Structures are given as structure tokens and as C-alpha cells.
Amino acid sequence: MVAEPVVILGAGHAGVGAAAALRDEGFDGPVRLVNGEQNLPYQRPPLSKAFMKGEVDAGGLVLRGEGFYAQRGIELLHGKAVRIDRHQKALRFQTGATLSYGHLILATGSRQRRLPFATDGAKINYLGSLPDAETLRDRLTKAKKVVIIGAGFIGLEFAAVALQMECEPHVVEQSDRLLARSVSPLISSFFEAEHRRMGVNIRLSRTVVGIRSCGSEFELRLSDGLAMQADLVVAGIGTTAEDSLAIEAGLPCDNGIIVDSDLLTADDSISAVGDCTRHPNKFVPGGLARLECVQNALDQAKAVARRLTGKKAAYDAVPWFWSDQSDLKLQIAGIWSNCDRFAVRGDLSDRAFSVLGYDRDGRLKVVESVNKPAEHMAARKLIAAEASIPIDQATDKSIPLKTFVASP
Ligand SMILES: Cc1cc2nc3c(=O)[nH]c(=O)nc-3n(C[C@H](O)[C@H](O)[C@H](O)COP(=O)(O)OP(=O)(O)OC[C@H]3O[C@@H](n4cnc5c(N)ncnc54)[C@H](O)[C@@H]3O)c2cc1C
């Protein structure tokens, strides 16, 4: 059994998930959850979606109501840790206070990557936290022309919202396609066509190389020499793991705290879960992965709680993710870069279809569904089972994908 107390650093999806899972698994020792933010722990995905549109307020984002923590015997502490003292088995805080742990779970998440050049006093917006989203939402209501740097999920979700708010969104992306890191080329082209049709201006294969403010406006310089004006600039150019305390404490890190398949770091008194980990993952090419999604945070949290209560732990869940852009719901199960061949199930023109990706041995490795939630649910099971379904059958719309899921 684990040494007590269990201290969890970071109260996002992974940290709150780990605290709840410890209680679900029957752990009855002290659980101390350190929240580095002012608000009650909240969900991040709606920040670029419903919250940005004004459909939910901050109260609607909370992961668990205030009473939950007291009811489950989880001490919710506020504070920013500045050091892990492995020798003393204690966290040190900005205030000078310390907190001892028997076992420490790091759930420190990730931080938004900053633009790599000085912006001459111009206020660039990033979208990683509730305070970021509150500021951005307020500025969006006053903006007309918006430049979004980066065509990843956050950038495109924000572009779709900006359009709904009657702004003129311009997206600048260094890659030659949208969402290049995360989806197959087929899905990239579909989303590019859809965004252009809706009225998002997209410039691919170029970067923003300079920004300066001129009064209430910004002037941006692009790598192809073009100058653009905007009254709001948002950068969504990826994240890096929040692993700075782990590095300083001498734990092996590589843009992510290195953990084994049990989510244990090199120190057997410290585990790590969520966005901050680089972990073994059989579904990801190369074997070691840092994933940034709610599924990974929650499934790792449950796995670590099982291990700390003496049960089976190894983390081997199929990665999955979703994104909402205008009326398009994209759901992804698996990883596209595993694949040699892709096939479409359904018709792109219906705006409801799935892209199926196969590896060279004919195994289904990814399913990217647009407005097809039932196919996404079946896909998660098929990918977990490493199913080999003949392409002609898998793409036959008259056979529901769930037909291929073996009964237990
Ligand atoms: C705008 C936005 C939209 C997203 N949309 C989706 C989506 O549609 N689908 C999806 O699956 N995922 C989405 N994600 C990603 C998802 O939110 C993350 O994968 C998830 O939040 C990871 O959970 P986590 O607990 O590991 O990290 P986080 O949620 O980032 O939580 C980490 C917490 O640790 C705290 N912390 C860090 N260092 C310290 C310290 N030294 N002391 C105290 N506290 C500390 C941080 O302040 C933070 O509160 C989105 C993310 C953003 C920002």
C-alpha cells in the first residue's frame, strides 16, 4: 500500500480525476489536492467553444461542485508550488509553506507555447486557462478583424467562434495543411474547405515573423513579406509540458515527465499523470507519447489510483479526442500517423462521415468521425481490439461499424 498522505500537485482534469479515483478505489488515507489557480477546478475544453461563445459562464465549467471535495474527504488546498524537495518528501510553496507527502502525484498539465519573437508591447492572446479565456472573450466582443496564428484545434475552434460573433477571422499556419499534427490529410482538406466556405481566411505555408502595435491596432509581418492589420491577435501554436519542477528536482524529462507504463517516475514516491507526462503508449508510433486530451488525463488518473491501491495499473487506453468547430463535431480514436492507407465511410458532402486508417498489416489504427458519434464509440472498441476488417466491409455504410465489435 502507498505511503500516506497522497499529495496531488495540479487540479485540472488529471489531478481532480486522480483524487476522485483514489476514493473510488477505496483509498481511505489523506488526499491533498493542490490547486494552483484561483477558481474551483474547471474544464478546459469549453474555453474555446461554449464559454467563448457566451453559452456557459465560469460557474458552468467546474469539474466538481464545492461540496464534492469535503464529501469525499479530499482536502483542496490553494497555492503555487515552487519546489519539490525529494529528500524531505515535501512541496515548497511561494509563500514559504511546505507540504509533506508520502506519495506525490504530479498533474501539472501543459503551458501554451509563446511566440518566439518580441512583440513590441503588442498584447498577444493565448488560450490555456480561464483567465486567458475571460480576457479574450471580452476583447472578442469589441474586435472586427482577428488574426489567429496557428491552425491547430484551439486556433480553428476560436476562428469558428469569431465568425459566429461577426468578426473577420484570418488564420496563418506554417504547415501546408490544417491540423497537420493531429489528423489525416483527408480530414485536413475537409476542414480547410469547410472553414473557407464559412468565411475564414486561411494562409498556409507561412509564418508570422513580426508584430507591432500601432494605436489600438496591430500590424503583423508574414514570412512571405505580406503585412496584415488586425485589432485582435490570438496565438495557438502548441503547448509544452509543465515539467519545470520535475526537471529541477532531477527527474528525467523530455518535454514531459518520463514515466513507465505504471505512470511512475524515476522516483518510486512520485507518479505523474495527464498532459505533463511522456509515457509508453502502444498506440503511438515511436512508443513514447505526450498526449494532450481529457481522455488521457482521466484514464491515467484512474490507472494511478488503481496502482496506489494495490490493483492492476498499466495504462493502455486507446487515445481519443474531440473538437467542435461550428456545427462540425470531429471525434478521433487512435493516431493517424500509424497508417499507410485511408478509406472514407460515407460521403463528405453529407458532412457526416468517417475516415478509417489502416496500417500496413491491415489493422484499423484510426477512425476520424465527423458528425458520426455512434461510429466513434464503435471505433474506440475496434482499435483497442486491433481489429482487421476488410476495407470493403468497413466502408459499406449499410453495415454498422459496431457489427464488427466482438461480443465479450
Ligand atoms: C482551450 C482548450 C481547449 C481544449 N479542448 C479540448 C477538447 O476539445 N478535447 C480534449 O480532449 N482536450 C481538449 N483540451 C486539452 C485538455 O484540456 C487537456 O488535455 C487537459 O486539461 C489536461 O489535463 P491535466 O490535468 O493534465 O492538465 P491541466 O488541465 O492543464 O491542469 C494542470 C493544472 O496544474 C496546475 N499547476 C501547474 N503547475 C503548478 C504548480 N507549480 N503549483 C500548483 N499548480 C500547478 C495548473 O495551474 C493547472 O490548473 C483543450 C485545452 C484547452 C486549453
Side-chain angles (χ1 to χ4, degrees):
M1 274 296 186
V2 62
E4 297 175 10
V6 175
V7 170
I8 304 168
L9 181 62
H13 290 268
V16 173
L22 277 167
R23 292 299 183 225
D24 291 345
E25 295 294 341
F27 179 72
D28 59 7
V31 175
R32 300 190 173 126
L33 174 61
V34 180
N35 180 13
E37 301 191 53
Q38 295 304 315
N39 305 76
L40 262 186
Y42 59 89
Q43 309 167 54
R44 277 169 218 271
L47 296 178
S48 49
K49 308 175 183 74
F51 181 83
M52 195 53 60
K53 282 190 254 179
E55 291 171 359
V56 281
D57 60 13
L61 300 181
V62 295
L63 278 165
R64 303 284 192 165
E66 205 157 4
F68 168 84
Y69 301 95
Q71 276 159 18
R72 306 296 311 268
I74 298 164
E75 277 177 66
L76 186 60
L77 310 168
H78 282 268
K80 187 102 185 148
V82 290
R83 190 158 172 249
I84 303 166
D85 185 335
R86 286 170 60 194
H87 186 64
Q88 298 287 327
K89 293 181 100 181
L91 289 179
R92 297 194 182 279
F93 289 85
Q94 258 169 351
T95 53
T98 57
L99 179 66
S100 300
Y101 61 81
H103 193 87
L104 175 64
I105 303 176
L106 296 173
T108 45
S110 50
R111 54 178 181 267
Q112 300 296 305
R113 203 169 263 145
R114 294 318 206 223
L115 289 172
F117 50 82
T119 54
D120 192 18
K123 288 199 175 71
I124 309 303
N125 295 275
Y126 297 90
L127 183 45
S129 66
L130 179 56
D132 288 348
E134 285 171 331
T135 306
L136 185 51
R137 191 168 76 169
D138 182 49
R139 290 183 182 159
L140 183 60
T141 57
K142 298 168 196 142
K144 287 206 166 53
K145 185 169 173 181
V146 183
V147 172
I148 298 145
I149 308 172
F153 288 116
I154 290 182
L156 292 180
E157 287 175 359
F158 182 76
V161 174
L163 204 59
Q164 277 177 266
M165 310 278 277
E166 299 183 349
C167 292
E168 183 189 318
H170 293 254
V171 175
V172 181
E173 165 59 47
Q174 66 178 6
S175 171
D176 59 359
R177 64 183 180 96
L178 308 184
L179 300 169
R181 268 193 323 131
S182 316
V183 301
S184 66
L186 254 158
I187 290 287
S188 288
S189 334
F190 174 79
F191 272 83
E192 182 182 340
E194 284 291 324
H195 275 279
R196 287 193 194 279
R197 189 185 57 74
M198 290 187 278
V200 178
N201 303 280
I202 300 171
R203 291 183 174 80
L204 298 174
S205 304
R206 66 208 85 184
T207 54
V208 173
V209 293
I211 304 179
R212 63 188 186 99
S213 63
C214 1
S216 61
E217 290 214 325
F218 301 95
E219 190 175 283
L220 296 93
R221 224 164 9 89
L222 270 54
S223 50
D224 60 0
L226 189 79
M228 293 177 78
Q229 269 71 40
D231 42 19
L232 182 66
V233 179
V234 183
I237 53 172
T239 68
T240 49
E242 183 47 270
D243 55 6
S244 51
L245 295 188
I247 293 172
E248 201 247 0
L251 295 172
C253 295
D254 174 14
N255 182 21
I257 305 163
I258 309 267
V259 290
D260 64 15
S261 57
D262 288 333
L263 305 164
L264 200 57
T265 68
D267 179 331
D268 62 10
S269 297
I270 306 180
S271 303
V273 289
D275 277 20
C276 67
T277 64
R278 183 166 293 279
H279 62 272
N281 193 311
K282 68 175 181 181
F283 297 100
V284 176
L288 270 189
R290 187 173 85 79
L291 298 177
E292 298 160 59
C293 57
V294 170
Q295 167 276 318
N296 179 64
L298 293 181
D299 286 341
Q300 289 194 338
K302 288 178 191 156
V304 96
R306 284 196 299 273
R307 172 167 54 76
L308 294 180
T309 51
K311 299 167 198 120
K312 175 193 167 298
Y315 173 68
D316 60 359
V318 175
W320 60 267
F321 186 85
W322 78 94
S323 173
D324 298 326
Q325 297 170 38
S326 175
D327 61 344
L328 298 169
K329 181 172 239 357
L330 171 65
Q331 292 169 293
I332 303 166
I335 304 285
W336 78 274
S337 53
N338 278 314
C339 303
D340 292 280
R341 261 190 314 166
F342 294 95
V344 179
R345 181 182 159 89
D347 295 308
L348 273 62
S349 56
D350 292 342
R351 302 170 87 244
F353 63 92
S354 294
V355 171
L356 314 181
Y358 286 83
D359 70 4
R360 67 169 70 88
D361 300 320
R363 282 173 309 200
L364 188 63
K365 287 288 175 183
V366 75
V367 177
E368 301 167 321
S369 305
V370 175
N371 294 339
K372 280 282 183 193
E375 292 195 350
H376 172 71
M377 295 310 289
R380 277 159 50 181
K381 295 185 182 143
L382 290 170
I383 291 166
E386 304 198 70
S388 305
I389 316 165
I391 287 190
D392 58 335
Q393 290 181 34
T395 52
D396 182 344
K397 277 198 296 182
S398 67
I399 312 174
L401 216 45
K402 66 174 189 227
T403 314
F404 304 106
V405 178
S407 20

